Amino acid sequence: MIVSKSNKQLKDIKKLMDSAKARKEQKLFVVEGLRMTREVPETLLEKLYYSESFFASYDKALVKGEEGKDYEIVSDEIFKSLSDTVTPQGILGIVKQPEYQLKDVLGGKILVLDDIQDPGNLGTMIRTSEAAGVTGVIMSAGCADIFNPKVIRSTMGSIFRVPFLKADLLKVLEELKKEDYTVYGAALDGAVFYNEIQYGEKSAVVIGNEGNGISAKVLDAVDQKIKIPMAGKVESLNAAISAAVILYQL
């Protein structure tokens, strides 16, 4: 049982939780809690860590692919200091990062994200994409790290079911148009109301940065600007809410 904060394994876990660079270099990330751990595909689950009390009390058959999987038990006090949540459940997993190519997101509706910064927004949009039947999500290089623990929690498991990739958006939009996609951008100037359009099966919608919207070059590359009508004195909606409204219309 691990009883010291100086344990190398625990230091490595903290690096994965705190550093996007470490996650990128190792191609690993961390999930916490029983629900999220159960969502991990067996082929991606590398190792499990349990708090001492959790390990003693729960049915290990609850976690898919857990039998025979490498694991460590951590003292309750040390596990609490390791966790990224206020009240940890007592289980976390080290997970391989899934990798996709553009071909994996093609075939239906696509969500394109331009410099989304808030981890909660990004995770929520991944979750909403699954719920709305989106075939994939494409992110600009300036988006938050999708393997950030806050993003992972916000996806509620959808990160394992929705194909995604980071790419140069201008190049990607060119490729989408070659595949007969129509690209819509959420904007204000020169836009039509989102619910006045007949969307085809091959439709992609771009949602921009929370503060600045879609960058000028990307906006110039969309086929049609769309907007959500606003009543009262409201000028705009949260980025994740805007994405949900438009994706369900698609």
Side-chain angles (χ1 to χ4, degrees):
M1 183 170 66
I2 298 175
V3 296
S4 171
K5 290 183 180 180
S6 62
N7 180 278
K8 184 181 182 303
Q9 292 184 67
L10 300 192
K11 288 182 177 180
D12 289 341
I13 292 173
K14 289 298 288 184
K15 284 182 180 179
L16 288 176
M17 297 177 78
D18 298 338
S19 169
K21 181 181 179 181
R23 292 190 290 268
K24 184 176 181 180
E25 290 176 347
Q26 298 182 47
K27 295 187 177 181
L28 298 171
F29 66 103
V30 179
V31 299
E32 284 196 75
L34 183 57
R35 175 171 180 168
M36 280 301 302
T37 308
R38 292 174 67 183
E39 294 281 2
V40 181
E42 183 177 350
T43 55
L44 297 181
L45 185 58
E46 281 278 284
K47 189 168 184 175
L48 290 161
Y49 290 82
Y50 308 96
S51 70
E52 183 180 9
S53 59
F54 184 87
F55 186 80
S57 64
Y58 104 111
D59 181 358
K60 298 167 188 60
L62 289 174
V63 178
K64 180 168 46 181
E66 183 173 356
E67 186 175 352
K69 188 65 64 176
D70 190 17
Y71 71 88
E72 294 281 356
I73 302 173
V74 183
S75 70
D76 290 349
E77 180 181 355
I78 299 300
F79 193 97
K80 187 174 182 179
S81 69
L82 180 68
S83 176
D84 192 52
T85 60
V86 177
T87 54
Q89 289 186 338
I91 180 171
L92 63 80
I94 307 300
V95 184
K96 297 176 185 176
Q97 296 181 4
E99 296 182 357
Y100 303 97
Q101 299 177 348
L102 181 59
K103 64 180 181 180
D104 298 315
V105 308
L106 298 177
K109 309 297 193 301
I110 295 174
L111 176 62
V112 181
L113 303 177
D114 188 12
D115 289 3
I116 295 298
Q117 295 293 297
D118 184 85
N121 279 341
L122 179 56
T124 298
M125 285 190 267
I126 299 294
R127 182 183 181 188
T128 302
S129 293
E130 180 182 14
V134 170
T135 57
V137 176
I138 301 172
M139 300 167 286
S140 70
C143 280
D145 178 21
I146 195 169
F147 299 111
N148 178 301
K150 292 180 180 179
V151 177
I152 299 299
R153 286 198 298 274
S154 297
T155 70
M156 296 293 285
S158 293
I159 189 168
F160 300 117
R161 297 182 291 270
V162 177
F164 58 85
L165 70 152
K166 278 194 173 182
D168 182 320
L169 292 194
L170 293 178
K171 292 181 179 179
V172 162
L173 295 187
E174 288 182 8
E175 292 299 318
L176 291 181
K177 290 178 182 181
K178 290 178 183 178
E179 296 290 335
D180 297 323
Y181 271 83
T182 301
V183 181
Y184 301 90
L188 293 176
D189 296 337
V192 300
F193 289 131
Y194 80 103
N195 55 354
E196 295 179 351
I197 293 176
Q198 185 66 44
Y199 299 96
E201 181 60 29
K202 289 188 172 183
S203 296
V205 59
V206 184
I207 301 293
N209 174 268
E210 291 91 343
N212 301 316
I214 300 173
S215 60
K217 290 183 178 180
V218 173
L219 194 58
D220 286 342
V222 307
D223 297 306
Q224 176 66 63
K225 299 174 186 177
I226 56 176
K227 62 183 178 180
I228 300 171
M230 301 287 161
K233 296 182 179 181
V234 176
E235 295 182 354
S236 64
L237 295 176
N238 166 275
I241 296 296
S242 297
V245 170
I246 296 171
L247 288 181
Y248 269 94
Q249 182 70 22
L250 264 63

